[in-house]
PDB file of all heavy atoms in Angstrom:
ATOM      1  N   ASN A  59      -7.621   1.837 -12.494  1.00  0.00           N
ATOM      2  CA  ASN A  59      -8.431   0.979 -11.894  1.00  0.00           C
ATOM      3  C   ASN A  59      -8.197   0.443 -10.508  1.00  0.00           C
ATOM      4  O   ASN A  59      -6.985   0.466 -10.207  1.00  0.00           O
ATOM      5  CB  ASN A  59      -8.681  -0.272 -12.850  1.00  0.00           C
ATOM      6  CG  ASN A  59      -9.398   0.055 -14.245  1.00  0.00           C
ATOM      7  OD1 ASN A  59      -9.967   1.177 -14.235  1.00  0.00           O
ATOM      8  ND2 ASN A  59      -9.051  -0.726 -15.233  1.00  0.00           N
ATOM      9  N   SER A  60      -9.135   0.203  -9.715  1.00  0.00           N
ATOM     10  CA  SER A  60      -8.878  -0.320  -8.437  1.00  0.00           C
ATOM     11  C   SER A  60     -10.102  -1.060  -7.898  1.00  0.00           C
ATOM     12  O   SER A  60     -11.186  -0.679  -8.133  1.00  0.00           O
ATOM     13  CB  SER A  60      -8.519   0.788  -7.491  1.00  0.00           C
ATOM     14  OG  SER A  60      -8.515   0.459  -6.207  1.00  0.00           O
ATOM     15  N   THR A  61      -9.941  -2.096  -7.149  1.00  0.00           N
ATOM     16  CA  THR A  61     -11.026  -2.667  -6.371  1.00  0.00           C
ATOM     17  C   THR A  61     -10.723  -2.459  -4.863  1.00  0.00           C
ATOM     18  O   THR A  61     -11.494  -1.867  -4.191  1.00  0.00           O
ATOM     19  CB  THR A  61     -11.084  -4.215  -6.673  1.00  0.00           C
ATOM     20  OG1 THR A  61     -11.421  -4.352  -8.016  1.00  0.00           O
ATOM     21  CG2 THR A  61     -12.101  -4.889  -5.759  1.00  0.00           C
ATOM     22  N   ARG A  62      -9.583  -2.987  -4.445  1.00  0.00           N
ATOM     23  CA  ARG A  62      -9.196  -3.050  -2.999  1.00  0.00           C
ATOM     24  C   ARG A  62      -9.073  -1.621  -2.412  1.00  0.00           C
ATOM     25  O   ARG A  62      -9.727  -1.191  -1.361  1.00  0.00           O
ATOM     26  CB  ARG A  62      -8.072  -3.825  -2.675  1.00  0.00           C
ATOM     27  CG  ARG A  62      -8.077  -5.251  -2.904  1.00  0.00           C
ATOM     28  CD  ARG A  62      -6.833  -5.904  -3.469  1.00  0.00           C
ATOM     29  NE  ARG A  62      -7.114  -7.194  -3.998  1.00  0.00           N
ATOM     30  CZ  ARG A  62      -7.555  -7.223  -5.221  1.00  0.00           C
ATOM     31  NH1 ARG A  62      -7.837  -6.157  -5.995  1.00  0.00           N
ATOM     32  NH2 ARG A  62      -7.860  -8.467  -5.866  1.00  0.00           N
ATOM     33  N   THR A  63      -8.213  -0.922  -3.020  1.00  0.00           N
ATOM     34  CA  THR A  63      -7.735   0.442  -2.495  1.00  0.00           C
ATOM     35  C   THR A  63      -9.051   1.365  -2.454  1.00  0.00           C
ATOM     36  O   THR A  63      -9.284   1.940  -1.374  1.00  0.00           O
ATOM     37  CB  THR A  63      -6.659   1.043  -3.161  1.00  0.00           C
ATOM     38  OG1 THR A  63      -5.635   0.003  -3.456  1.00  0.00           O
ATOM     39  CG2 THR A  63      -5.944   2.213  -2.468  1.00  0.00           C
ATOM     40  N   ARG A  64      -9.668   1.516  -3.476  1.00  0.00           N
ATOM     41  CA  ARG A  64     -10.716   2.298  -3.554  1.00  0.00           C
ATOM     42  C   ARG A  64     -11.947   2.034  -2.740  1.00  0.00           C
ATOM     43  O   ARG A  64     -12.410   2.763  -1.884  1.00  0.00           O
ATOM     44  CB  ARG A  64     -11.249   2.512  -5.026  1.00  0.00           C
ATOM     45  CG  ARG A  64     -12.230   3.473  -5.294  1.00  0.00           C
ATOM     46  CD  ARG A  64     -12.568   3.626  -6.730  1.00  0.00           C
ATOM     47  NE  ARG A  64     -13.226   4.753  -6.906  1.00  0.00           N
ATOM     48  CZ  ARG A  64     -13.255   5.450  -8.186  1.00  0.00           C
ATOM     49  NH1 ARG A  64     -12.557   4.976  -9.140  1.00  0.00           N
ATOM     50  NH2 ARG A  64     -13.848   6.576  -8.385  1.00  0.00           N
ATOM     51  N   ARG A 112      -5.216   8.217  -6.908  1.00  0.00           N
ATOM     52  CA  ARG A 112      -4.448   7.276  -7.647  1.00  0.00           C
ATOM     53  C   ARG A 112      -4.263   7.741  -9.071  1.00  0.00           C
ATOM     54  O   ARG A 112      -5.237   8.164  -9.732  1.00  0.00           O
ATOM     55  CB  ARG A 112      -5.137   5.917  -7.713  1.00  0.00           C
ATOM     56  CG  ARG A 112      -4.430   4.907  -8.643  1.00  0.00           C
ATOM     57  CD  ARG A 112      -4.857   3.539  -8.495  1.00  0.00           C
ATOM     58  NE  ARG A 112      -4.433   2.897  -7.220  1.00  0.00           N
ATOM     59  CZ  ARG A 112      -4.595   1.468  -6.940  1.00  0.00           C
ATOM     60  NH1 ARG A 112      -5.141   0.854  -7.883  1.00  0.00           N
ATOM     61  NH2 ARG A 112      -4.038   1.003  -5.809  1.00  0.00           N
ATOM     62  N   HIS A 140       3.060   3.178  -3.011  1.00  0.00           N
ATOM     63  CA  HIS A 140       1.643   2.787  -2.739  1.00  0.00           C
ATOM     64  C   HIS A 140       1.712   2.718  -1.106  1.00  0.00           C
ATOM     65  O   HIS A 140       1.712   1.584  -0.630  1.00  0.00           O
ATOM     66  CB  HIS A 140       1.201   1.487  -3.365  1.00  0.00           C
ATOM     67  CG  HIS A 140      -0.182   1.122  -3.282  1.00  0.00           C
ATOM     68  ND1 HIS A 140      -1.085   1.846  -2.476  1.00  0.00           N
ATOM     69  CD2 HIS A 140      -0.925   0.131  -3.941  1.00  0.00           C
ATOM     70  CE1 HIS A 140      -2.322   1.302  -2.719  1.00  0.00           C
ATOM     71  NE2 HIS A 140      -2.199   0.316  -3.608  1.00  0.00           N
ATOM     72  N   GLN A 143      -0.641   0.392   1.069  1.00  0.00           N
ATOM     73  CA  GLN A 143      -0.592  -1.005   0.892  1.00  0.00           C
ATOM     74  C   GLN A 143       0.644  -1.472   1.572  1.00  0.00           C
ATOM     75  O   GLN A 143       0.505  -2.504   2.215  1.00  0.00           O
ATOM     76  CB  GLN A 143      -0.197  -1.204  -0.705  1.00  0.00           C
ATOM     77  CG  GLN A 143       0.068  -2.667  -0.937  1.00  0.00           C
ATOM     78  CD  GLN A 143      -1.184  -3.608  -0.748  1.00  0.00           C
ATOM     79  OE1 GLN A 143      -2.307  -3.235  -1.295  1.00  0.00           O
ATOM     80  NE2 GLN A 143      -1.073  -4.609  -0.171  1.00  0.00           N
ATOM     81  N   PRO A 267      -0.375  -8.372  -2.831  1.00  0.00           N
ATOM     82  CA  PRO A 267      -1.266  -7.314  -2.663  1.00  0.00           C
ATOM     83  C   PRO A 267      -2.492  -7.348  -3.459  1.00  0.00           C
ATOM     84  O   PRO A 267      -3.559  -6.635  -3.158  1.00  0.00           O
ATOM     85  CB  PRO A 267      -0.356  -6.145  -3.245  1.00  0.00           C
ATOM     86  CG  PRO A 267       0.496  -6.846  -4.220  1.00  0.00           C
ATOM     87  CD  PRO A 267       0.775  -8.180  -3.580  1.00  0.00           C
ATOM     88  N   GLY A 268      -2.570  -8.272  -4.546  1.00  0.00           N
ATOM     89  CA  GLY A 268      -3.812  -8.386  -5.248  1.00  0.00           C
ATOM     90  C   GLY A 268      -3.891  -7.297  -6.260  1.00  0.00           C
ATOM     91  O   GLY A 268      -3.180  -6.243  -6.033  1.00  0.00           O
ATOM     92  N   PRO A 269      -4.580  -7.342  -7.360  1.00  0.00           N
ATOM     93  CA  PRO A 269      -5.175  -8.616  -7.776  1.00  0.00           C
ATOM     94  C   PRO A 269      -4.095  -9.678  -8.257  1.00  0.00           C
ATOM     95  O   PRO A 269      -3.036  -9.338  -8.717  1.00  0.00           O
ATOM     96  CB  PRO A 269      -6.094  -8.247  -8.972  1.00  0.00           C
ATOM     97  CG  PRO A 269      -5.321  -6.983  -9.611  1.00  0.00           C
ATOM     98  CD  PRO A 269      -4.702  -6.286  -8.413  1.00  0.00           C
TER      99      PRO A 269
HETATM  100  N1   CP B 401      -3.411  -3.806  -4.003  1.00  0.00           N
HETATM  101  C1   CP B 401      -4.037  -2.937  -4.784  1.00  0.00           C
HETATM  102  O1   CP B 401      -3.680  -1.661  -4.895  1.00  0.00           O
HETATM  103  O2   CP B 401      -5.293  -3.347  -5.329  1.00  0.00           O
HETATM  104  P1   CP B 401      -6.300  -2.648  -6.198  1.00  0.00           P
HETATM  105  O3   CP B 401      -5.657  -2.160  -7.540  1.00  0.00           O
HETATM  106  O4   CP B 401      -7.463  -3.374  -6.474  1.00  0.00           O
HETATM  107  O5   CP B 401      -6.663  -1.348  -5.376  1.00  0.00           O
END
Side-chain angles (χ1 to χ4, degrees):
N59 295 338
S60 168
T61 297
R62 290 150 199 79
T63 314
R64 187 171 195 155
R112 173 169 285 191
H140 191 350
Q143 178 68 46

